[in-house]
Structures are given as C-alpha cells and as structure tokens.
Amino acid sequence: GRSTEAHSLVRELSQASAAEVLGVLDGLMQVAGGVDVKIRRELGELQLQTAEALKKRLADLNMDQRLRLDHCFARAYAATDQPDKAIEVYESLLRKAPRDKTLLRTVAELMIECGSPKCLVGAKSKWKRLETLEKTGTQPFMEARYHVALCCFQLKEFDKCRQLLTVTRILFPKRGNEAIQEKLKKLEADVRRQGKK
C-alpha cells in the first residue's frame, strides 16, 4: 500500500544491474502468488514498470536474461488483467520451447480464463498437446483430458464433449484423484442436461 515508495524503488532499480532487477522481478511474482487480487494487480503494475525500465537496456542482457524478462512481462500482463498481451508473450515463449509443460499449462489456463471463442480454441489445442506429453492415465493426463472436454463444452461442441467423456469413463474408470473424477462426473452431468434441452 506504499505506492510512493514503490515507484521510488522502481526508479532506483532502473540503475541496478540486470541480474538484480530480474531477481526483484522474480521475487515480486513469488509475493504476488499469496495475496489478494487487488494487491496482486498492484504488484503486477510495479513489475510491469520495472520490466519496462529494464527493457530499455535490452542490449545489456544475455539470452537467458531476455528470456526471464519475457516471462516477467507475461506474468505482469496476466496480473494486471491484460490476458491478450500475456498470451501473446507466452505464445512467443512457446515457439522457443514447444514441449515445456509448465508453460503450456500456464497458457492453457490463461486462455480458459480469457473465455472468448478464440481463446477457448487455443486452450483446447494446448490441453490436447499436454495430454500427448503426459503418460496415459496419470493424474496430469486426466487433468489435461478434463480440460479438453471442458473446452469442448464451453465451445458448445456438446457431441464431442460427450464422446470424449464417455471414452474417458470406459478407458480410465479409476484413474486420477478423487477431485478430477468428480469434475469429470459433473461435466458429464452438465453435457447430459444440454442434450435434453
């Protein structure tokens, strides 16, 4: 809540070494994970200002530092309710590391949160890719499968959603933890209700 001090800190940081600035940016995101939405947004704004200041010195950064800076921008955009910008940066990062499961999951979750048809189509594609990268029947596989079905449901692709859930129930009746099994059952009930309308 001390915005004047925060802005003063950003000005001071702009003179610090790239390594120090990136360390502070990483620290800001760790803090942001455990606070409410309002504070997270303020921290995101602070992170964005700090990242912008560091971007002016891009020539001084090595490839690893530039990559970290891109991650910082993406997380800051997400924290400040700019999902389109965050997705754009994450998509660029994914082109460099297409099999990075953590990155894929982050982008897929952000796209579901965005909720537009375009975002949901992108999310479905990302969850399908995650599904292929996970061992069949494991918890991460089941989570990816659930999200593919959820995207189908939200895109009003009810037949596809129903087929996917039916196949999943038959092939993996006891796979995944209780929470994911409950989510699958609820989604199956939701899509069944759609069929009755």
Side-chain angles (χ1 to χ4, degrees), residues 8-160:
S8 172
L9 176 63
V10 170
R11 281 194 298 274
E12 286 175 34
L13 272 175
S14 65
Q15 307 306 314
S17 73
E20 286 175 306
V21 178
L22 286 166
V24 170
L25 285 168
D26 289 339
L28 280 172
M29 280 327 292
Q30 286 172 10
V31 171
V35 295
D36 66 37
V37 176
K38 182 177 180 290
I39 301 293
R40 185 161 54 248
R41 186 182 173 88
E42 288 173 8
L43 286 170
E45 292 284 359
L46 186 60
Q47 188 183 26
L48 210 45
Q49 291 169 30
T50 310
E52 289 287 358
L54 187 56
K55 191 177 180 180
K56 292 172 185 169
R57 297 159 44 197
L58 207 56
D60 300 339
L61 305 184
N62 62 36
M63 287 309 292
D64 181 56
Q65 289 171 329
R66 288 182 187 197
L67 197 60
R68 281 176 68 194
L69 182 61
D70 284 343
H71 276 277
C72 289
F73 267 112
R75 291 192 302 255
Y77 285 136
T80 55
D81 297 324
Q82 300 180 69
D84 290 345
K85 287 185 178 181
I87 289 166
E88 190 180 318
V89 177
Y90 277 129
E91 288 279 23
S92 156
L93 289 166
L94 264 178
R95 284 191 287 278
K96 297 169 193 165
R99 296 179 65 82
D100 184 326
K101 291 192 274 190
T102 303
L103 199 51
L104 268 169
R105 177 177 285 275
T106 302
V107 180
E109 287 172 349
L110 197 55
M111 286 176 155
I112 282 186
E113 201 176 297
C114 162
S116 73
K118 182 183 173 187
C119 282
L120 289 170
V121 168
K124 185 168 82 166
S125 167
K126 301 291 184 286
W127 286 113
K128 277 184 174 178
R129 197 180 325 163
L130 268 168
E131 193 181 55
T132 64
L133 293 172
E134 299 294 356
K135 187 177 175 188
T136 306
T138 61
Q139 178 68 20
F141 172 89
M142 296 301 288
E143 286 174 4
R145 174 63 62 95
Y146 163 75
H147 282 96
V148 172
L150 179 65
C151 289
C152 289
F153 182 82
Q154 291 179 339
L155 286 163
K156 299 186 177 8
E157 298 171 351
F158 300 125
D159 286 342
K160 281 185 188 176

